[in-house]
Amino acid sequence: GYTVDRYMRVVDRIREAIPDAAITSDFIVGIPGETEAQFQRTLDLMDAVRFDACMTAAYSPRPNTPMASWDGQLPEEVKEDRLRRINDKAQAHALES
């Protein structure tokens, strides 16, 4: 599986080999059971990597999918807040590029 350390090693290797490479990622916030601490670790990773661009979305349950019936569904307000926060950070980092 992925760890932050492993991911950062991959990012570092890319940046060493291709200094002008754009690093991008996709993020889905507010999945069932996501804690504020877990979300904060995502924001911390974003600070460490400084992605050039990010695609983001708030989780929304889809009929007949396993995750739709998981415990810990988050309120829409929490998902909207986390999406706003991650988008603010992504935009700030993109402007640095």
Side-chain angles (χ1 to χ4, degrees), residues 5-70:
D5 289 338
R6 180 177 174 205
Y7 191 87
M8 290 305 299
R9 285 195 307 271
V10 170
V11 169
D12 290 342
R13 285 197 332 250
I14 291 168
R15 288 194 168 138
E16 287 172 13
I18 310 166
D20 293 333
I23 306 292
T24 66
S25 191
D26 298 341
F27 295 94
I28 298 174
V29 300
I31 64 167
E34 179 187 63
T35 66
E36 180 62 27
Q38 290 168 327
F39 176 70
Q40 185 58 54
R41 285 197 298 273
T42 299
L43 297 178
D44 293 344
L45 176 68
M46 291 177 73
D47 284 335
V49 174
R50 297 293 215 249
F51 293 98
D52 295 286
C54 297
M55 295 297 297
T56 63
Y59 167 78
S60 60
R62 298 289 187 252
N64 303 314
T65 61
M67 197 179 288
S69 62
W70 285 9

